[in-house]
Amino acid sequence: MGGGPEYPQRGEHERELLLCVLPWPEKASEKVIGEIRDEFPNLEMHYIAQTYEDLKTGKTEVPEDLCKRASYLATLSWLPLHVSSVPNVKFIQFYSAGTNHVAKHPIYTDSKIPLCSASGVHGPQIAEWVIMMDLVHSHKYTILYDAQKRKEWKQKVGMEGVSDNVGKRVGVLGYGSIGRQVARVAKAMGMDVIAYTASPRPTPESRRDGGFIVPGTGDPEGEYPSAWFSGLNKDSLHEFLKQKIDLLVLSVPLTKETTHFLSTEEFALLNEVNPAGTYIANISRGQVIDQPTLVKALERKQIRGAALDVTDPEPLPADDPLWTAPNCLITPHVSGSTTVYAERAFQVLRENLRRERDGKHLVNEVDRDRGY
């Protein structure tokens, strides 16, 4: 381990405390937790498993003395009410892709405690969701499945207008860990990939992925896109949308700049440059799309369809017109789910424990000014 000490210590016999407040049973990640305990024998771990009701109400009982002693906090959403409650915390490891859900909390706004996301653990399963939804639509599967339930053999329905993805273009709006894995799968299917980022990526070094990467996934070197675009203003976005995109994947963090990033003007532009229709997959946050204008775009056939794992608001009210919009597939914010989610998130935590020990920069540390 680089010849460093086993673990940073406060005293010869005093162990540092890792406090985990998470909505999974400890057993779900026992393998990687055991590896962390073996690697850091001077680290004490206390695990509090939250219930669904805890998450729903936001009320989780965590003893005050544990908060006071904690050197590291691992959490999905729970935080103590006050910064003073965690005087010894060196960093907080969130098990979520972003931290916008705590952006108004005093620990976010009034402290300098490093906050780290679990960005990177969602890439494989969400990329599969994106490609699955695109294929379900392009191969008319929902229509065929409805026919199956009616016990009807409708071969013609499954043959008309079906197209494969070879030679089509996927535009990834937000080329982070999820977008990079979408690109990897899309390239394997013979698609062209173009990328959009907030800041310019003109050099090979700037295009590398500096975050956590699930081994064997993603685009670590930024090699897949045939073209890169960037910016946080509408003119830059429009230049990207003019590239005749067949599948547009929204994977940007929710910030002031990205709120309603796609609205009336953008849907009209997509239709103008690609009359055959762009298919939109949103796995970021519902507010990135101006939802009423999306419904109109679907009704007017300005876009080919939409697959949404996020909506505005959530849960989506039963009377919202989005439910019945044509060519729209909706799932209840589940694309990031996988049986190994918690295990992967603990791998991010382990990496940050190593980096903190070795005096290196933390992985996935949130830039509070940028919001991600």
Side-chain angles (χ1 to χ4, degrees):
M1 300 308 298
E6 283 187 339
Y7 204 77
Q9 301 178 9
R10 297 181 198 169
E12 183 64 25
H13 302 292
E14 188 177 359
R15 303 170 73 196
E16 291 194 312
L17 175 66
L18 166 60
L19 176 59
C20 301
V21 185
L22 297 165
W24 298 281
E26 185 174 355
K27 189 175 181 180
S29 308
E30 60 183 351
K31 181 177 182 292
V32 67
I33 289 175
E35 291 171 352
I36 291 172
R37 286 188 166 122
D38 290 343
E39 185 172 349
F40 306 111
N42 293 315
L43 180 69
E44 175 189 351
M45 181 184 294
H46 190 97
Y47 197 104
I48 296 176
Q50 296 173 290
T51 65
Y52 175 77
E53 193 62 27
D54 290 337
L55 286 177
K56 189 176 179 181
T57 63
K59 296 178 180 178
T60 302
E61 294 296 327
V62 180
E64 184 178 348
D65 68 303
L66 291 177
C67 294
K68 294 286 186 184
R69 289 179 49 215
S71 296
Y72 311 96
L73 173 61
T75 179
L76 180 66
S77 57
W78 177 87
L79 286 174
L81 293 177
H82 308 289
V83 178
S84 59
S85 300
V86 284
N88 295 306
V89 164
K90 296 182 178 181
F91 70 78
I92 297 176
Q93 179 66 62
F94 285 92
Y95 280 35
S96 53
T99 55
N100 60 288
H101 59 296
V102 296
K104 295 182 180 180
H105 193 284
I107 284 179
Y108 191 104
T109 59
D110 302 335
S111 86
K112 294 185 178 180
I113 299 172
L115 311 176
C116 302
S117 75
S119 177
V121 308
H122 308 77
Q125 63 270 32
I126 294 184
E128 290 176 11
W129 182 96
V130 168
I131 299 301
M132 173 184 71
M133 292 305 228
D134 179 50
L135 294 177
V136 161
H137 177 79
S138 63
H139 286 263
K140 305 292 183 72
Y141 181 72
T142 55
I143 298 173
L144 291 169
Y145 184 58
D146 286 342
Q148 177 190 335
K149 289 187 288 185
R150 295 190 301 268
K151 301 178 181 179
E152 296 175 353
W153 184 271
K154 290 200 169 185
Q155 190 177 40
K156 185 178 180 181
V157 170
M159 298 174 70
E160 291 182 338
V162 173
S163 61
D164 59 54
N165 277 329
V166 176
K168 290 185 178 179
R169 172 169 289 161
V170 55
V172 183
L173 187 55
Y175 202 65
S177 60
I178 295 169
R180 287 169 185 261
Q181 179 63 5
V182 169
R184 187 185 189 97
V185 179
K187 288 293 286 185
M189 295 172 64
M191 300 181 77
D192 178 48
V193 175
I194 60 174
Y196 189 98
T197 56
S199 54
R201 305 291 179 91
T203 65
E205 177 64 31
S206 67
R207 292 174 179 176
R208 290 175 182 155
D209 187 353
F212 177 81
I213 303 171
V214 176
T217 72
D219 182 13
E221 299 298 319
E223 299 174 320
Y224 292 141
S226 61
W228 292 72
F229 299 80
S230 63
L232 286 172
N233 57 63
K234 290 286 188 169
D235 288 342
S236 300
L237 174 63
H238 290 178
E239 186 61 30
F240 174 69
L241 298 180
K242 288 177 182 178
Q243 306 307 307
K244 199 175 184 295
I245 296 169
D246 297 293
L247 170 61
L248 177 61
V249 182
L250 308 185
S251 55
V252 294
L254 179 63
T255 65
K256 180 181 178 181
E257 290 82 6
T258 62
T259 299
H260 289 184
F261 220 28
L262 262 62
S263 190
T264 303
E265 212 176 344
E266 288 69 45
F267 294 127
L269 178 59
L270 287 170
N271 179 241
E272 179 184 339
V273 299
N274 187 9
T278 298
Y279 193 70
I280 296 176
N282 186 12
I283 48 81
S284 55
R285 291 293 183 266
Q287 296 92 324
V288 170
I289 295 179
D290 181 355
Q291 198 160 284
T293 68
L294 171 64
V295 174
K296 291 179 181 178
L298 289 165
E299 291 173 344
R300 296 169 180 170
K301 297 183 179 180
Q302 288 181 307
I303 56 176
R304 186 161 49 93
L308 311 172
D309 189 51
V310 288
T311 60
D312 182 20
E314 292 183 12
L316 187 66
D319 61 350
D320 194 291
L322 189 65
W323 284 114
T324 54
N327 295 320
C328 184
L329 298 174
I330 302 171
T331 57
H333 207 146
V334 295
S335 65
S337 299
T338 176
T339 55
V340 294
Y341 185 100
E343 179 180 331
R344 286 182 184 155
F346 267 106
Q347 291 170 357
V348 183
L349 170 65
R350 177 173 58 185
E351 177 63 22
N352 274 331
L353 289 171
R354 290 169 174 167
R355 293 189 178 206
E356 199 278 332
R357 172 197 62 198
D358 297 336
K360 297 180 179 180
H361 291 296
L362 299 173
V363 70
N364 293 349
E365 184 171 353
V366 175
D367 183 327
R368 284 170 164 88
D369 292 332
R370 298 178 72 177
Y372 57 94

